[in-house]
Amino acid sequence: MSYPLVKRVSHRRLGEMLRMMLSDQVYFDLTLEEGRTLSRAFTAVAHDWRRTDFIYLSPVGADVEFSAAVAQDGVRVETADGGRHLNWDDVTELAERLAVE
């Protein structure tokens, strides 16, 4: 399986959600609105990374928060097992998938 990716999942109380997967073990479950919000944030930093230092989201359907430092070469997502680097191609691809799904 190629990462990062986005797929639809179902939550027993929140209904249809998006799972943004950075690996088999690292993923974030997002409501559809949270997915669109993160898509807009990814798009904004991909177009001009100098305008912000950090992206943060606390998804309602998950126990983990999404936090990522923005840098010249992409974003570094902080996870429980360390960080994951997403280059600008990854960021752009996730923005498109989160907006469409």
Side-chain angles (χ1 to χ4, degrees), residues 2-46:
S2 177
Y3 296 99
L5 65 88
V6 175
K7 67 179 185 176
R8 285 192 181 258
V9 295
S10 181
H11 187 279
R12 69 178 192 272
R13 296 196 185 236
L14 299 173
E16 189 111 19
M17 297 184 74
L18 299 175
R19 179 166 288 168
M20 181 178 69
M21 301 180 69
L22 305 184
S23 73
D24 285 335
Q25 296 82 26
V26 178
Y27 60 88
F28 301 89
D29 286 344
L30 310 167
T31 65
L32 300 180
E33 187 60 36
E34 290 168 341
R36 288 189 288 269
T37 298
L38 195 53
S39 171
R40 289 189 297 270
F42 280 160
T43 299
V45 298

Side-chain angles (χ1 to χ4, degrees), residues 53-74:
D53 298 329
F54 206 72
I55 299 171
Y56 178 84
L57 180 72
S58 181
V60 298
D63 294 332
V64 297
E65 60 195 25
F66 176 85
S67 61
V70 179
Q72 184 175 359
D73 61 344

